[in-house]
Amino acid sequence: MRLAVIAAALLLPLLLAPVANAGKANDTISIAFAKELEHIDPYFNTAREGVLLGNAVWDGLLYRDPKSGQYVGNLATSWSWVDPTTLELTLRQGVKFHNGASFDADDVVFTLNYMVDPKNGAKNTVATSWIKRAEKIDQFKVRIITNGPFPAALEYLAGPVIIHPHEYYAAVGPAGVATKPIGTGPYKVVSVEPGKHYVLKRNDDYFAAAKPKAKVETIDIRTIPDINTQMAELFNGTIDLVWQVPSDQADKMAGRGNFQVLNAPTMRVGYLSLDAAGRSGAKNPMTDVRVREAVYHAINRDGIVKALMKGTTEVINSACSPSQFGCATDVASYSYDPDKAKALLAEAGYPNGFEIDFYAYRDRPLAEAMIGMLAEVGIKANLKYLQYAALREKRIKEGVPMSFLTWGSNSIADASAITSEFFTMGGEDDARDKSLSDLLEKADSSVDPAERKTLYKQALSTIADKAYWVPLWNYSTNYIMSKDVSFTPTPDELVRFNEIGWK
């Protein structure tokens, strides 16, 4: 309590200080990232922050218009399927990378073939796992050969699949890109302090065939994990924009009148992944479906959303985001019922509960609320709070018994970007259910939309019936901006730096 009083006293002068307008005067938008980005190359991280930088600095072959949802040409001007596994694309001529190199087929072929080669260690495997190889037809024509029919290909080519300059990348590799990235996008990176600070400058020569040119000259991004420090800097005028702000903080800021506070839905979902396969240890209780069901019944999801999240956040029951193609929502659900949870634990041989490690990387208040609810039914969960990259690596290498995670699907509006990512025998698949994996692989490759929906429904029903996950909620997010900033959030949670401007 004493520490809280001291902190409040230190913060008070900042709260009373007038908001500075230095950002507008210098044509600089200052943004706070809440978590440390492990690598700036979008293929070597799976964080939301990486998606945002990727969209600003690089380009994809296609672009999905955020208003219409239609695919339009970006680095490619046209495309067609030669056969069910061969996509041919004609590339845009006259595009330049930030270092002056000309864009052509060699860049596409190099980038895709490099990223699908396991020996190169790309982290964002969901982006390219559907690609078998890329082939050059001529200087401005390529073919992408898929591992099988993949109807969501255009969605991926308009999202996480970005193109690097082949000569530069071959010379410096991922390590060089980490500090000196080169793309074709609306912003150039002029300064990198890995994981801490990024400065972007407007690319005045941007070709802007689909993605608009940048409005603001400079984007200055700093990693500020502590939410109280973020709010203090907003008041001090040293930050212009921050998002994923907890509801209690957003409510306080809305009452001040000097800021814009917006709440918008996203594609991001929260979930508990339970180690049904027992990868984290022979005595892991999560291998028993009755224990997994008990965990589900122990969590008051509605209560957490109403008390701590608010906005447009909604409880979900499926292992996907409702806005994604194939996300069936009419699956088994488990009501909040502590008595039922205790009965299931007793039936499974744990009448007095048990002790277990509970891993998380964000939203600590939400994690602590769930840990308190688990304690009420006899499960003593010990919070292990890690950075996202460290938790992901631990899950891949050895598994963890319980983990509270979120996933934004790289803003891909297709169930393959989440359900298939976590239930097809990959490193973060805690179920390891071969029949479920086979079902999803069929869903991913079917060219019949109706069949895809049917197969995803079967897979999502299996996940719910066996309680492999505890789907929690479809996040909304709170954006707080200085009064002079002009920005409209979109449901894909893509903060498009090039579309931020001044009022």
Side-chain angles (χ1 to χ4, degrees):
M1 179 63 72
R2 186 172 175 227
L3 289 175
V5 172
I6 293 172
L10 292 173
L11 188 59
L12 183 60
L14 293 172
L15 300 182
L16 297 177
V19 177
N21 292 316
K24 187 173 184 180
N26 294 330
D27 202 15
T28 299
I29 293 283
S30 296
I31 296 174
F33 278 177
K35 63 177 182 286
E36 186 173 312
L37 185 64
E38 60 184 305
H39 201 295
I40 197 170
D41 186 339
Y43 291 114
F44 284 83
N45 75 77
T46 58
R48 171 60 37 174
E49 290 78 3
V51 174
L52 306 190
L53 282 170
N55 185 69
V57 179
W58 289 274
D59 282 297
L61 294 167
L62 308 184
Y63 181 76
R64 177 161 51 82
D65 186 292
K67 294 180 180 178
S68 69
Q70 298 298 308
Y71 302 114
V72 295
N74 198 19
L75 288 176
T77 57
S78 62
W79 56 94
S80 62
W81 288 98
V82 176
D83 58 50
T85 61
T86 306
L87 180 65
E88 186 170 288
L89 302 101
T90 300
L91 305 180
R92 190 173 302 280
Q93 300 184 34
V95 176
K96 298 285 187 180
F97 285 95
H98 299 153
N99 62 355
S102 296
F103 162 78
D104 64 17
D106 290 330
D107 304 304
V108 177
V109 171
F110 172 85
T111 299
L112 299 186
N113 289 340
Y114 185 95
M115 298 309 164
V116 300
D117 188 340
K119 76 173 186 292
N120 293 320
K123 303 290 186 183
N124 191 8
T125 56
V126 67
T128 57
S129 60
W130 55 279
I131 297 173
K132 185 175 183 179
R133 68 182 183 277
E135 298 175 350
K136 177 180 177 180
I137 305 303
D138 61 35
Q139 186 178 4
F140 292 103
K141 187 169 289 186
V142 298
R143 284 184 175 178
I144 297 175
I145 315 302
T146 67
N147 289 313
F150 190 69
L154 301 186
E155 179 75 8
Y156 284 73
L157 293 178
V161 178
I162 58 91
I163 305 302
H164 286 293
H166 77 283
E167 290 182 345
Y168 177 74
Y169 205 99
V172 304
V177 172
T179 56
K180 294 183 179 180
I182 299 293
T184 58
Y187 277 103
K188 303 177 181 180
V189 179
V190 297
S191 175
V192 175
E193 187 179 355
K196 297 180 180 179
H197 191 195
Y198 309 91
V199 179
L200 314 183
K201 290 287 185 181
R202 183 172 54 214
N203 176 14
D204 290 325
D205 297 322
Y206 183 56
F207 65 98
K211 192 186 298 181
K213 286 193 175 223
K215 297 178 180 179
V216 172
E217 182 181 2
T218 305
I219 302 290
D220 190 296
I221 304 163
R222 287 180 293 129
T223 302
I224 306 174
D226 180 66
I227 186 63
N228 290 318
T229 304
Q230 288 182 11
M231 297 303 101
E233 293 216 25
L234 276 165
F235 272 102
N236 224 17
T238 51
I239 289 178
D240 299 297
L241 172 65
V242 66
W243 79 104
Q244 296 180 343
V245 178
S247 292
D248 59 340
Q249 294 281 4
D251 290 344
K252 291 176 184 177
M253 297 294 278
R256 300 286 174 179
N258 291 326
F259 302 93
Q260 303 174 73
V261 180
L262 304 177
N263 178 271
T266 75
M267 203 178 289
R268 180 171 301 277
V269 303
Y271 61 95
L272 294 181
S273 187
L274 309 177
D275 184 18
R279 292 191 301 146
S280 59
K283 296 182 179 180
N284 178 11
M286 295 302 155
T287 57
D288 191 319
V289 66
R290 294 167 295 185
V291 173
R292 300 196 299 272
E293 290 175 350
V295 170
Y296 214 140
H297 282 298
I299 305 299
N300 186 354
R301 298 173 296 158
D302 283 299
I304 291 175
V305 167
K306 290 175 182 176
L308 299 177
M309 305 183 77
K310 305 177 184 178
T312 55
T313 299
E314 294 181 336
V315 169
I316 58 172
N317 297 310
S318 293
C320 50
S321 175
S323 63
Q324 292 174 309
F325 176 88
C327 185
T329 58
D330 52 338
V331 300
S333 62
Y334 301 75
S335 62
Y336 173 54
D337 189 340
D339 290 335
K340 177 68 172 176
K342 291 176 183 177
L344 284 165
L345 290 174
E347 184 182 330
Y350 301 99
N352 299 315
F354 55 83
E355 187 171 346
I356 196 168
D357 288 337
F358 182 107
Y359 286 79
Y361 77 98
R362 61 173 281 174
D363 296 334
R364 189 170 189 137
L366 305 183
E368 290 174 343
M370 287 186 279
I371 286 172
M373 292 169 183
L374 292 171
E376 291 178 3
V377 302
I379 300 174
K380 182 183 178 183
N382 303 311
L383 179 59
K384 304 292 183 181
Y385 204 74
L386 306 179
Q387 288 189 346
Y388 173 69
L391 177 51
R392 186 193 64 215
E393 290 303 306
K394 186 174 180 63
R395 293 185 70 232
I396 290 172
K397 291 178 180 178
E398 59 194 75
V400 300
M402 295 181 68
S403 48
F404 167 42
L405 300 157
T406 76
W407 188 248
S409 296
N410 283 286
S411 297
I412 295 170
D414 193 275
S416 64
I418 179 169
T419 315
S420 302
E421 172 69 6
F422 294 105
F423 291 98
T424 51
M425 311 297 283
E428 294 182 90
D429 183 354
D430 287 332
R432 301 300 170 106
D433 184 328
K434 184 63 167 59
S435 61
L436 172 60
S437 176
D438 291 343
L439 201 58
L440 286 167
E441 288 179 357
K442 290 179 182 177
D444 292 346
S445 60
S446 173
V447 295
D448 181 347
E451 182 182 42
R452 291 189 79 211
K453 287 183 177 181
T454 298
L455 291 168
Y456 283 129
K457 167 68 180 299
Q458 293 174 12
L460 290 163
S461 295
T462 297
I463 294 166
D465 291 343
K466 296 185 178 181
Y468 288 141
W469 268 19
V470 179
L472 297 169
W473 37 71
N474 200 86
Y475 278 88
S476 65
T477 192
N478 294 305
Y479 299 80
I480 302 182
M481 303 176 284
S482 64
K483 61 182 180 181
D484 293 322
V485 171
S486 174
F487 172 68
T488 302
T490 51
D492 57 13
E493 202 187 358
L494 252 178
V495 181
R496 294 172 172 84
F497 297 158
N498 56 309
E499 297 190 20
I500 301 174
W502 302 111
K503 289 186 174 179

